[in-house]
Amino acid sequence: ANLPTLSARDRGRSEFRKIGSGGMADTPETLKAAANELFKEGKFAKAVVAYSRALEMTPGNAVLLSNRAFAHLKLENYGSAIEDATFAVQADASYTKAYYRRASSHFLLGHLTEALKDFKLVCRMHPNDRDGRMKLKECENALRKRRFEAAIATPEDVVVKISESINAREMIIDSAYDGVRLEEDFIITSEFTDDMIERFKAQKTIASKYAFEILMQAKTIFEALPSVVDIPIPDGEKFTVCGDVHGQFFDLCNIFEINGMPSAKNPYLFNGDFVDRGSFSVEVILTLLAFKCVDPSSIYLTRGNHETAAMNKMYGFDGEVKAKYSVKLADLFQEVFQYLPLGAVLAKKVFIVHGGLFSRDGVTIAELRKINRFAEPPESGPFCEMLWSDPGALPGRHPSKRGVGVAFGADVTKKFLADNDLELVVRSHEVKDEGYEVDHDGCLITVFSAPNYCDQMGNKGAFITFHADCVPHFTSFDAAPHPPSRPMQYANNSFMFQ
């Protein structure tokens, strides 16, 4: 789609107007100092706003633009980070940090060739910069690996799925294993799941055989579903929708403490991004999949942008599975993620999707149901946008701050709902201070269920409860204590620790 340009500066200004203006005595220096302090405190969205205010007083300031790019980088708004860093380079071609921020953003989007150009510039400008040389080498290695994989790639129509080579039931369990064991029929029971959760709380694993068994059974369930599933809410019953959990297992357990365990009478939908960043991602996803196996009507899972191979390699899940279990289990997870539905329609009234809406009008639920989702997502189109798009403050459609998907206004949301005879969009994908936010004149809700995201954001988590009338009821909650395991512990690249 040909989308009108909305600059990073305009995005910052619209957000600033949304939250209100500051005092008359503000100067570029005081605003910069305030923004830097917000950045240090991990309040990156507020830092973006403060840098934007300073830039309104001193447009084209390379340092402020580069600093705002860094804040966008921390928020995973890679498109905005690239734009700001490019403006900074245009303002001051000798400002090395701007090239560095742009290169890092390109790398994290998978734009390795563009990242390589900027890292080479950084190293030419500062040949003794150890960090720059390290990132250049990492970028060269990633590009070399990608080219090698492309050279040996098997055509899609003859690829053998990893599941076809696995027989979990022939795997041997160590005699010393002290957890609950499955019976000979391999039915995953509530007793097994309860024991598994307690093992995870004690930082133990389950037998590798059982991890494979959970994934294989879950694959069979998901494979039979359409790409958008219909979920009823019977009269007198409730239904709970949760957003991103991102490997925060002890916060997941807290949700169940507050709201009850998943069951046919207390069903949940978890709206993508179960894994990555948090270092208990394996525990989160195995718990959710086990509940699905115990009773498919007790829990529904939709795919997020972090249930993808590229993100898992970058943000820690792939490394975590390999550290705690095996390479083969990591590969099986990637296959199972491809079977996850992309969205859901709740009680014929609420469209639930991880990211958001689309770069064109006229998209129907019937069209979305038919998406061939058994693959990694493309770089554009409805499949991609369901995982990546975000609502925007301005009407119409605009380039995404993330560099992937689209930013869409309230008019787009209302037209989509009218076209599909729906009342509400529920999506996730973004941190919110209270764990949720109602937007687009009440037609769209964002819900995010990972409190104090990455142990630094200070946000609450939330979940939404619906009854048959589909009126949303919100519950916010604080972060639960967890063992001293830092976020991103298993990430395999230095870009996560800038």
Side-chain angles (χ1 to χ4, degrees), residues 219-466:
K219 170 192 170 291
T220 300
I221 295 169
F222 292 131
E223 192 173 8
L225 299 175
S227 290
V228 175
V229 297
D230 288 299
I231 305 172
I233 306 178
D235 287 340
E237 303 288 339
K238 73 169 185 176
F239 190 93
T240 301
V241 178
C242 297
D244 305 39
V245 178
H246 274 301
Q248 297 184 195
F249 174 71
F250 293 86
D251 293 308
L252 174 67
C253 293
N254 190 36
I255 292 172
F256 296 150
E257 287 285 333
I258 296 168
N259 196 56
M261 300 294 275
S263 69
K265 294 294 185 182
N266 188 37
Y268 285 80
L269 183 147
F270 283 83
N271 194 24
D273 282 13
F274 324 115
V275 302
D276 278 341
R277 291 198 173 273
S279 293
F280 302 97
S281 291
V282 176
E283 290 79 2
V284 166
I285 188 60
L286 285 176
T287 297
L288 297 177
L289 294 178
F291 279 121
K292 189 69 177 176
C293 295
V294 171
D295 183 351
S297 68
S298 72
I299 197 165
Y300 299 84
L301 306 178
T302 52
R303 191 176 185 180
N305 61 302
H306 278 270
E307 279 71 58
T308 57
M311 299 298 277
N312 294 161
K313 289 186 190 310
M314 191 79 68
Y315 288 92
F317 180 63
D318 185 68
E320 183 183 343
V321 182
K322 291 172 180 175
K324 293 178 179 178
Y325 291 91
S326 66
V327 171
K328 197 165 192 177
L329 189 70
D331 290 342
L332 183 58
F333 267 115
Q334 294 310 316
E335 181 180 337
V336 172
F337 286 163
Q338 294 184 2
Y339 293 104
L340 288 168
L342 304 179
V345 175
L346 184 61
K348 299 182 179 180
K349 296 179 180 179
V350 182
F351 179 58
I352 303 173
V353 65
H354 178 73
L357 301 183
F358 309 100
S359 56
R360 61 176 172 85
D361 287 333
V363 175
T364 66
I365 298 298
E367 175 186 346
L368 300 178
R369 289 190 210 284
K370 297 175 184 176
I371 290 175
N372 178 11
R373 69 184 188 277
F374 305 134
E376 291 302 303
E379 294 185 2
S380 61
F383 184 172
C384 167
E385 290 155 0
M386 292 176 82
L387 304 186
W388 280 99
S389 290
D390 294 290
L394 300 180
R397 295 176 172 89
H398 304 277
S400 168
K401 61 191 176 184
R402 300 176 189 270
V404 188
V406 65
F408 57 95
D411 55 331
V412 175
T413 298
K414 291 173 184 177
K415 188 172 192 318
F416 173 81
L417 292 173
D419 287 348
N420 288 280
D421 195 23
L422 297 166
E423 297 178 2
L424 180 67
V425 173
V426 173
R427 45 87 65 179
S428 302
H429 198 38
E430 289 184 286
V431 181
K432 298 297 177 183
D433 286 346
E434 295 300 314
Y436 72 94
E437 184 173 271
V438 181
D439 212 339
H440 289 184
D441 302 319
C443 293
L444 181 143
I445 297 170
T446 297
V447 60
F448 191 86
S449 302
N452 195 27
Y453 182 42
C454 292
D455 286 349
Q456 67 179 13
M457 297 297 282
N459 61 292
K460 292 180 181 293
F463 55 82
I464 311 171
T465 303
F466 291 98

Side-chain angles (χ1 to χ4, degrees), residues 69 73 78 81-82 100-111:
L73 195 58
Y78 304 130
I82 289 167
Y100 190 95
R101 303 297 175 227
R102 188 168 67 180
S104 297
S105 300
H106 276 306
F107 184 93
L108 291 166
L109 278 173
H111 302 163

Side-chain angles (χ1 to χ4, degrees), residues 5 77 128 141 167 207 222 284 370 373 485 490 497:
T5 299
N77 296 340
N128 296 323
N141 289 341
N167 188 339
F222 292 131
V284 166
K370 297 175 184 176
R373 69 184 188 277
S485 182
Y490 299 96
F497 307 104

Side-chain angles (χ1 to χ4, degrees), residues 16-307:
F16 162 59
R17 287 172 178 159
K18 181 179 174 184
I19 66 172
S21 42
M24 296 297 292
D26 287 336
T27 67
E29 291 73 21
T30 60
L31 287 169
K32 178 186 174 185
N36 289 345
E37 193 60 35
L38 288 166
F39 188 97
K40 290 175 186 175
E41 293 172 2
K43 298 175 181 176
F44 304 120
K46 292 181 179 179
V48 166
V49 175
Y51 287 129
S52 297
R53 290 182 59 204
L55 280 161
E56 289 192 346
M57 296 183 183
T58 55
N61 183 298
V63 174
L64 289 172
L65 285 164
S66 183
N67 286 2
R68 192 171 67 177
F70 198 10
H72 277 307
L73 195 58
K74 290 289 189 179
L75 290 166
E76 300 180 29
N77 296 340
Y78 304 130
S80 293
I82 289 167
E83 187 175 32
D84 271 347
T86 299
F87 286 145
V89 166
Q90 291 169 352
D92 183 353
S94 67
Y95 193 59
T96 313
K97 285 185 179 179
Y99 295 102
Y100 190 95
R101 303 297 175 227
R102 188 168 67 180
S104 297
S105 300
H106 276 306
F107 184 93
L108 291 166
L109 278 173
H111 302 163
L112 300 182
T113 303
E114 292 87 345
L116 188 66
K117 290 176 185 176
D118 277 338
F119 280 129
K120 284 182 175 178
L121 272 171
V122 169
C123 291
R124 277 204 295 269
M125 294 166 78
H126 292 280
N128 296 323
D129 184 335
R130 182 179 175 185
D131 192 57
R133 286 187 285 110
M134 178 181 70
K135 286 187 168 57
L136 173 62
K137 184 175 181 180
E138 193 169 332
C139 190
E140 288 173 335
N141 289 341
L143 191 57
R144 192 177 299 114
K145 182 180 179 183
R146 176 183 288 180
R147 288 168 176 164
F148 174 75
E149 289 172 347
I152 65 169
T154 308
E156 253 185 53
D157 56 349
V158 295
V159 168
V160 177
K161 298 290 188 180
I162 188 70
S163 59
E164 295 175 9
S165 67
I166 291 170
N167 188 339
R169 297 179 182 185
E170 290 185 354
M171 295 178 181
I172 305 300
I173 298 176
D174 192 301
S175 60
Y177 183 68
D178 60 353
V180 168
R181 298 188 178 222
L182 296 178
E183 301 292 336
E184 290 184 4
D185 57 11
F186 291 96
I187 293 173
I188 296 169
T189 64
S190 295
E191 179 191 13
F192 173 86
T193 303
D194 291 345
D195 177 73
M196 180 182 72
I197 291 170
E198 291 307 311
R199 291 182 68 80
F200 290 162
K201 288 179 180 178
Q203 299 186 73
K204 297 180 179 179
T205 59
I206 58 171
S208 181
K209 174 189 181 83
Y210 292 153
F212 277 102
E213 185 65 35
I214 290 169
L215 264 68
M216 293 296 285
Q217 290 191 29
K219 170 192 170 291
T220 300
I221 295 169
F222 292 131
E223 192 173 8
L225 299 175
S227 290
V228 175
V229 297
D230 288 299
I231 305 172
I233 306 178
D235 287 340
E237 303 288 339
K238 73 169 185 176
F239 190 93
T240 301
V241 178
C242 297
D244 305 39
V245 178
H246 274 301
Q248 297 184 195
F249 174 71
F250 293 86
D251 293 308
L252 174 67
C253 293
N254 190 36
I255 292 172
F256 296 150
E257 287 285 333
I258 296 168
N259 196 56
M261 300 294 275
S263 69
K265 294 294 185 182
N266 188 37
Y268 285 80
L269 183 147
F270 283 83
N271 194 24
D273 282 13
F274 324 115
V275 302
D276 278 341
R277 291 198 173 273
S279 293
F280 302 97
S281 291
V282 176
E283 290 79 2
V284 166
I285 188 60
L286 285 176
T287 297
L288 297 177
L289 294 178
F291 279 121
K292 189 69 177 176
C293 295
V294 171
D295 183 351
S297 68
S298 72
I299 197 165
Y300 299 84
L301 306 178
T302 52
R303 191 176 185 180
N305 61 302
H306 278 270
E307 279 71 58

